[in-house]
Amino acid sequence: MKHSFKFLLPALLILASSCTHLTNQNTPVPVPTGKFSGKFRSIHLSYNPVKYDTVKAQIILTTTSNGNFKITGDTSTVIAGSHGLFALDNVYIQFQDSTKTVAKQAKKHLNGVYKYYYDGTTFQFVASNDTLSHQYDLKRSN
């Protein structure tokens, strides 16, 4: 009797793992559309001496259901006023800023892939590496 259980265990594990994929395949991803306002933060970690440099700006992000976005608000020093396209899945959102150039720019552009959270009101997304983090903490404003 013990030997038959050994042969059933791999089959049960395969069956269980295949069923977990079925639950999320048809769940539609809610697209954040409308006007969102809040803070943009750029946090830089310096190592000599160890300290965090943080700059902030109050911004407005407007998104449409056909995948367009626009940044307005306090775009004078930290973040650039910009516009472009976005696409998302269940975990990541990608922005393609049509005003960004290949030359180094003084202000941050909303461009690239970010991990995001959206619940219908709160819209947060972040991109980080070892020493730099760009964080957007927004709330629906319309």
Side-chain angles (χ1 to χ4, degrees):
M1 193 64 148
K2 285 184 179 182
H3 297 291
S4 62
F5 182 70
K6 284 183 189 178
F7 296 110
L8 287 177
L9 186 58
L12 289 173
L13 290 174
I14 291 169
L15 182 61
S17 67
S18 65
C19 290
T20 59
H21 297 290
L22 296 176
T23 58
N24 292 330
Q25 284 181 346
N26 295 324
T27 305
V29 177
V31 178
T33 57
K35 208 175 248 193
F36 300 88
S37 60
K39 285 189 181 164
F40 163 75
R41 285 184 292 278
S42 180
I43 303 168
H44 180 257
L45 171 62
S46 299
Y47 286 111
N48 193 11
V50 175
K51 67 177 183 168
Y52 289 99
D53 297 317
T54 304
V55 291
K56 302 175 190 175
Q58 285 294 123
I59 63 165
I60 298 167
L61 171 65
T62 305
T63 60
T64 64
S65 59
N66 60 346
N68 292 301
F69 79 90
K70 181 168 89 171
I71 292 283
T72 57
D74 180 8
T75 58
S76 60
T77 58
V78 177
I79 190 166
S82 60
H83 57 87
L85 301 172
F86 75 94
L88 57 96
D89 64 16
N90 288 336
V91 179
Y92 297 100
I93 186 165
Q94 180 173 10
F95 293 93
Q96 183 178 353
D97 185 345
S98 61
T99 66
K100 183 167 175 50
T101 63
V102 292
K104 185 169 173 126
Q105 297 176 312
K107 295 189 241 178
K108 171 67 181 148
H109 286 252
L110 181 53
N111 196 63
V113 177
Y114 298 78
K115 194 166 187 176
Y116 82 97
Y117 168 80
Y118 178 61
D119 68 2
T121 303
T122 301
F123 186 24
Q124 299 170 320
F125 45 101
V126 64
S128 298
N129 63 29
D130 290 343
T131 61
L132 187 62
S133 177
H134 292 132
Q135 303 171 356
Y136 295 79
D137 188 9
L138 309 172
K139 298 269 187 202
R140 180 177 293 283
S141 59
N142 64 338

